[in-house]
Amino acid sequence: MTDQHFTVHAPGRVNLIGDHTDYAGGLALPCAIDLGVTIHAGRGGTDIQLTSDAFGGNVVINLTEIPEIQSLEPFWGRYVAAVAQECAVTEGFRGSVTSTLPSGAGLSSSAALEIALAVAMQFNGSQMELASLGQRSEHRAVGVPCGLLDQLSIVFGKRDQAMVIDFSDNAIDHVAFPEDLDIVIMHSGQVRELVDSEYAERRSMCEKAAQRIGPLATASLSEIATLDGDLERRARHAASECERVRHAAIALRGNDPATFGQLMLQSHASLRDDFDVSTSVLDELVDRLSQMPGVYGARLTGAGFGGCVVALCERNAIEDPNAMTGRGWRVRPSDGARVITE
Ligand code: GLA
């Protein structure tokens, strides 16, 4: 019984500046992008059955008896089961998941999948609740203690607008993204596994630092100097990154891409030197990009440890985004998750 067909879409996101700040109650400046995850299915029955060329393999979840999530295969079935539990859904659907987002690349393919699934399951709550549900599903599915950056960007995205997010109260300010600027993303070729990475360790270091000196988003250099070693460097990244986001928001509103680009380069250096989440491949890509005419700045985007770099450029400064690494995209800020047909 699969007669009532629907299509839902959730975009990925690119973070223009402000990484490893969300879980510290800080600031970030991302946008949703025109690459994403689409689910096309028909409702009926008590199973969710999904095929996917993008994520690989078939997922079958019996909603009357959801199995142990951590051992589900294929891997992406864990997200399906986790979102199904979070939504307490009872009606199944059968269909396919397609994706134009690379996986494990810092563009939030897993958050896009979670949010698309929750929309497919007709989650009935506010946009903020939808984002939180996505975050809880991530924790439930794979145990990554992520912040809310990905889910808020994906839910609240607006066409041609970036957003300044303040994670101290999850306030979102949309800012028009200039017509004459390009966002170019390049894949480093290094696939990142958040589960295996040191993400959780970085987060707990920031929490430890905050217990000693208070919220990192507003910590002063002298307060940070009372910490030592790695703790000092991690806290310095979080605090200085929030300050850069504040300046980047002013630069974007004032149509000053040159300043924005400089802040992106400083952000990359801080993620590399203080937060230790870059790789030599990402560093080299950022260096090469930043020397190209018409490129204002570049940085790693997302959690790091591989994945993608993002560059802010004059329109068409990079003619072929695929040329440098074989996988690149010119993206525009796009609308958030939505039902396409129901
Ligand atoms: C991942 C997490 C986010 C955020 C970024 C780093 O994308 O899911 O919550 O912490 O890393 O900024």
Side-chain angles (χ1 to χ4, degrees):
M1 287 221 312
T2 55
D3 43 12
Q4 198 197 334
H5 283 271
F6 66 89
T7 305
V8 301
H9 178 81
R13 65 102 187 90
V14 68
N15 196 15
L16 297 172
I17 191 161
D19 271 308
H20 291 281
T21 52
D22 60 347
Y23 51 74
L27 296 154
L29 207 164
C31 62
I33 56 177
D34 47 358
L35 302 171
V37 171
T38 304
I39 301 176
H40 181 66
R43 293 191 196 286
T46 54
D47 286 351
I48 295 179
Q49 295 190 30
L50 290 169
T51 60
S52 176
D53 289 349
F55 294 106
N58 301 334
V59 165
V60 182
I61 306 283
N62 175 356
L63 295 174
T64 56
E65 201 180 332
I66 295 182
E68 168 65 34
I69 291 182
Q70 308 288 336
S71 53
L72 272 173
E73 293 295 340
F75 192 76
W76 61 280
R78 299 176 194 187
Y79 295 102
V80 182
V83 178
Q85 281 187 337
E86 286 288 343
C87 290
V89 72
T90 51
E91 186 191 41
F93 49 83
R94 197 173 292 190
S96 64
V97 182
T98 53
S99 175
T100 48
L101 275 172
S103 295
L107 303 180
S108 297
S109 60
S110 63
L113 176 62
E114 289 148 18
I115 300 290
L117 285 164
V119 175
M121 291 174 202
Q122 299 177 301
F123 171 73
N124 184 11
S126 69
Q127 284 182 299
M128 195 53 80
E129 286 161 354
L130 174 60
S132 303
L133 182 142
Q135 182 192 33
R136 288 198 305 277
S137 304
E138 181 85 27
H139 296 188
R140 197 187 269 264
V142 290
V144 176
C146 64
L148 263 175
L149 168 70
D150 308 346
Q151 291 82 5
L152 289 181
S153 315
I154 288 169
V155 170
F156 287 93
K158 280 194 187 162
R159 193 172 164 196
D160 294 329
Q161 308 210 8
M163 44 191 137
V164 182
I165 308 180
D166 182 341
F167 295 95
S168 67
D169 58 359
N170 294 331
I172 300 173
D173 232 348
H174 287 90
V175 184
F177 189 83
E179 270 282 306
D180 57 351
L181 292 180
D182 276 354
I183 301 169
V184 172
I185 299 171
M186 285 185 196
H187 199 309
S188 66
Q190 295 180 306
V191 176
R192 170 188 60 76
E193 262 310 339
L194 260 193
V195 194
D196 297 328
S197 76
E198 298 169 65
Y199 183 89
E201 187 266 349
R202 295 297 189 282
R203 181 176 177 151
S204 81
M205 293 277 273
C206 287
E207 284 163 358
K208 214 162 150 192
Q211 275 161 16
R212 303 247 304 257
I213 63 168
L216 300 184
T218 48
S220 67
L221 281 178
S222 58
E223 285 165 331
I224 291 167
T226 63
L227 305 166
D228 32 46
D230 283 352
L231 211 54
E232 180 182 1
R233 293 193 298 126
R234 305 299 185 240
R236 189 166 57 212
H237 165 73
S240 64
E241 186 78 346
C242 291
E243 192 57 13
R244 282 185 288 274
V245 174
R246 288 182 197 103
H247 288 293
I250 295 168
L252 189 60
R253 290 198 175 93
N255 209 0
D256 179 3
T259 299
F260 198 110
Q262 285 309 307
L263 291 161
M264 290 173 84
L265 291 170
Q266 290 164 19
S267 165
H268 184 81
S270 175
L271 288 159
R272 179 191 65 208
D273 301 335
D274 277 345
F275 221 64
D276 291 321
V277 294
S278 190
T279 66
S280 53
V281 181
L282 292 170
D283 295 344
E284 201 198 319
L285 251 181
V286 167
D287 276 355
R288 282 173 63 195
L289 279 163
S290 64
Q291 284 160 30
M292 290 170 66
V295 175
Y296 294 110
R299 60 188 288 281
L300 72 81
T301 185
F305 310 105
C308 289
V309 301
V310 58
L312 184 72
C313 324
E314 275 170 14
R315 189 188 290 159
N316 293 329
I318 297 177
E319 230 169 275
D320 176 7
N322 281 318
M324 240 156 107
T325 67
R327 270 178 105 193
W329 304 265
R330 180 179 291 110
V331 298
R332 287 297 300 172
S334 78
D335 282 329
R338 58 205 175 268
V339 175
I340 310 241
T341 57
E342 60 186 332

